[in-house]
């Protein structure tokens, strides 16, 4: 009999077998699906909290190969990789270079975050400095042959005086882009410094500005990623997009219904929750490829409880749960994060994440996950 795990609210009997999924899979065809991917810290690096992140490159890149093997694209150097929360621009640039080379070697799809995080948070940047920072990162992405994702910029949010500054900045960047990019609207629940992005805290006004950028440059926009955790707003924006511009859902609360779509259209996906859900998510979308929407929803709907748990406020700390589940699943040998972010969630929060993920059958080796969960509880004084 499998030993129980002494969770804070009582003993949990681990699932006997994992979900039965293929070890590898073809790329989905009906939807373009990216998983934002986390970085693996080097647990033995002798660094202080103020030092640049020490990354375990071998384990970090191995996780990208895991996602590619299941047919998923990788959204690199994004929020999930702790951009601006432990990983600075120098580290992100190296991550882009290394991941781009690995993607090319295996034919994996990759898109990379382009932002302005080389500008110091304490600075008061001008719009010209914001443009220059974006240009530097855009040039690196294009030099490495990856699709750019123009990320929302804390520096632009600080420097812009109103919607016209956003329109002018993005117009300048889109004119320079050699290939269509993905525009990313990250809401303040993910990053409080982005409050009032697009020049207004009124979401209707901000949406109009966002759509105006796209309408003026539809040939330079492959798609948009909306991370506002508001399904109704995403659907409204999706229906107002120019023909040929895709909507990539970034809604980690409502992704099954948004990907499934309705009679007017659907969303593709670029999601942080697909880091821990990778094999299951890819399998579900391949079911959707066959036209079996009910089968797709039957697979993905049960995962929403876990996602809502990981992304509960303060939402920006969802990365802690993502890395925690990667450790339990055996993708890395430790639960250490860059910037010490493993401490950003409580022990009960992590225990609940384990219980939900185990119930879904996400762990390839349930016994290993249970052993590691017991060890974490014991070392934190929670074993009973």
């Amino acid at each position: 009999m499998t030993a129980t795990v002494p969770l804070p609210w009582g003993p949990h009997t681990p699932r006997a077998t994992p979900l039965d999924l293929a070890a590898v899979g073809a790329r989905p065809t009906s939807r373009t699906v990216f998983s934002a991917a986390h970085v693996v810290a080097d647990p033995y690096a002798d660094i202080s909290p103020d030092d640049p992140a020490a990354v375990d490159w071998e384990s970090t890149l191995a996780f990208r190969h895991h996602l590619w093997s299941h047919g998923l694209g990788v959204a690199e150097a994004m929020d999930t990789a702790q951009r601006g929360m432990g990983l600075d621009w120098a580290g992100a640039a190296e991550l882009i270079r290394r991941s781009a080379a690995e993607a090319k070697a295996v034919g994996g799809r990759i898109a990379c975050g382009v932002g302005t995080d080389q500008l110091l948070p304490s600075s008061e940047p001008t719009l010209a400095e914001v443009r220059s920072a974006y240009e530097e990162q855009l040039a690196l992405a294009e030099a490495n042959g990856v699709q750019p994702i123009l990320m929302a910029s804390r520096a632009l949010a600080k420097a812009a005086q109103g919607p016209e500054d956003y329109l002018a900045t993005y117009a300048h960047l889109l004119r320079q882009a050699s290939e269509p990019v993905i525009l990313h609207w990250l809401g303040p629940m993910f990053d409080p410094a982005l409050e009032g992005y697009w020049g207004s805290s009124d979401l209707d006004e901000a949406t109009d500005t966002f759509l105006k950028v796209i309408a003026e440059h539809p040939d330079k926009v492959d798609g948009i990623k909306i991370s506002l955790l508001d399904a109704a707003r995403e659907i409204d924006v999706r229906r107002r997009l120019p023909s040929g511009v895709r909507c990539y859902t970034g809604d980690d609360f409502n992704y099954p219904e948004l990907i499934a779509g309705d009679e007017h259209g659907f969303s593709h996906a670029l999601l942080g929750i697909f880091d821990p859900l990778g094999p299951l998510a890819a399998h579900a979308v391949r079911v959707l490829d066959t036209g079996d929407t009910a089968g797709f929803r039957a697979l993905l709907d049960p995962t929403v409880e876990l996602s809502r748990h990981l992304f509960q406020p303060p939402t920006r700390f969802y990365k802690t749960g993502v890395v925690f589940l990667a450790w339990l699943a055996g993708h890395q040998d430790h639960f250490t994060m860059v910037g010490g972010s493993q401490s950003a969630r409580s022990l009960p929060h992590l225990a609940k994440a384990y219980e939900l993920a185990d119930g879904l059958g996400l762990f390839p080796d349930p016994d290993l996950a249970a052993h590691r969960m017991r060890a974490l509880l014991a070392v934190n004084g929670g074993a009973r």
Side-chain angles (χ1 to χ4, degrees):
M1 181 177 178
T2 303
T4 61
V5 179
L7 299 181
W9 43 87
H12 168 77
T13 300
R15 182 173 174 138
T17 58
L19 198 63
D20 184 19
L21 297 172
V24 296
R27 186 180 295 178
T29 57
S30 64
R31 306 288 189 273
T32 300
V33 183
F34 289 99
S35 168
H38 73 280
V39 293
V40 182
D42 178 354
Y44 293 112
D46 186 12
I47 58 174
S48 76
D50 295 328
D51 290 333
V55 177
D56 177 345
W57 292 111
E58 182 177 355
S59 297
T60 293
L61 296 173
F63 190 77
R64 275 98 183 121
H65 282 276
H66 157 70
L67 295 173
W68 286 321
S69 75
H70 288 280
L72 296 172
V74 169
E76 188 56 278
M78 300 289 290
D79 183 56
T80 304
Q82 294 183 249
R83 285 289 289 272
M85 288 186 68
L87 188 71
D88 62 12
W89 166 235
E94 184 65 14
L95 180 60
I96 290 170
R97 293 186 193 99
R98 289 176 181 252
S99 290
E102 296 295 316
K104 185 179 296 184
V106 299
R109 183 162 190 166
I110 186 170
C112 292
V114 166
T116 63
D117 46 333
Q118 64 270 59
L119 298 174
L120 295 177
S122 59
S123 66
E124 295 294 332
T126 65
L127 289 173
E129 289 171 332
V130 171
R131 288 195 299 269
S132 179
Y134 263 129
E135 288 167 349
E136 178 188 352
Q137 297 198 18
L138 181 61
L140 183 135
E142 293 188 337
N144 284 275
V146 300
Q147 182 177 24
I149 303 170
L150 290 187
M151 301 170 68
S153 162
R154 294 175 180 173
L156 180 55
K158 185 183 290 188
Q161 298 300 305
E164 293 305 318
D165 287 338
Y166 286 90
L167 291 169
T169 299
Y170 278 90
H172 177 83
L173 296 170
L174 290 172
R175 284 194 297 267
Q176 293 190 44
S178 59
E179 300 291 340
V181 307
I182 298 173
L183 297 181
H184 186 192
W185 184 359
L186 189 69
M189 67 288 295
F190 288 94
D191 187 344
L194 299 176
E195 178 66 44
Y197 210 74
W198 303 111
S200 177
S201 294
D202 183 303
L203 285 180
D204 290 334
E205 293 179 3
T207 297
D208 288 342
T209 302
F210 182 51
L211 288 169
K212 188 174 182 181
V213 169
I214 300 161
E216 293 179 353
H217 307 276
D219 59 321
K220 289 297 185 75
V221 181
D222 162 69
I224 62 167
K225 169 178 159 56
I226 305 179
S227 299
L228 298 176
L229 304 182
D230 183 336
R233 184 164 298 277
E234 178 173 322
I235 291 170
D236 173 66
V237 171
R238 187 173 75 193
R239 293 177 181 176
R240 295 165 64 186
L241 290 174
S243 177
V245 176
R246 307 178 194 190
C247 179
Y248 293 91
T249 187
D251 188 330
D252 300 279
F253 283 6
N254 304 291
Y255 51 95
E257 65 183 88
L258 292 165
I259 296 170
D262 55 30
E263 65 274 17
H264 300 291
F266 56 83
S267 294
H268 300 270
L270 200 165
L271 287 159
I273 190 57
F274 280 7
D275 180 303
L277 294 184
L280 174 56
H283 175 69
V285 180
R286 284 192 291 271
V287 169
L288 186 61
D289 290 345
T290 69
D292 185 1
T293 302
F296 165 80
R297 294 294 299 267
L299 286 164
L300 220 51
D301 281 0
T303 69
V304 171
E305 183 180 5
L306 171 63
S307 189
R308 286 178 175 254
H309 176 72
L310 296 180
F311 286 78
Q312 68 182 238
T315 301
R316 62 188 181 278
F317 296 122
Y318 75 88
K319 296 90 155 174
T320 301
V322 165
V323 175
F324 172 66
L325 293 180
W327 171 58
L328 293 184
H331 293 298
Q332 55 195 78
D333 294 330
H334 59 86
F335 177 41
T336 300
M337 296 175 66
V338 300
S341 291
Q342 67 272 11
S343 64
R345 291 295 201 188
S346 69
L347 192 60
H349 177 92
L350 298 176
K352 186 64 176 179
Y354 160 73
E355 184 179 51
L356 291 171
D358 184 59
L360 291 168
L362 295 184
F363 300 128
D365 184 342
D367 288 338
L368 173 66
H371 170 74
R372 290 183 169 181
M373 188 69 232
R374 290 189 206 98
L376 182 74
L377 290 164
V379 79
N380 285 280
R384 296 176 180 176

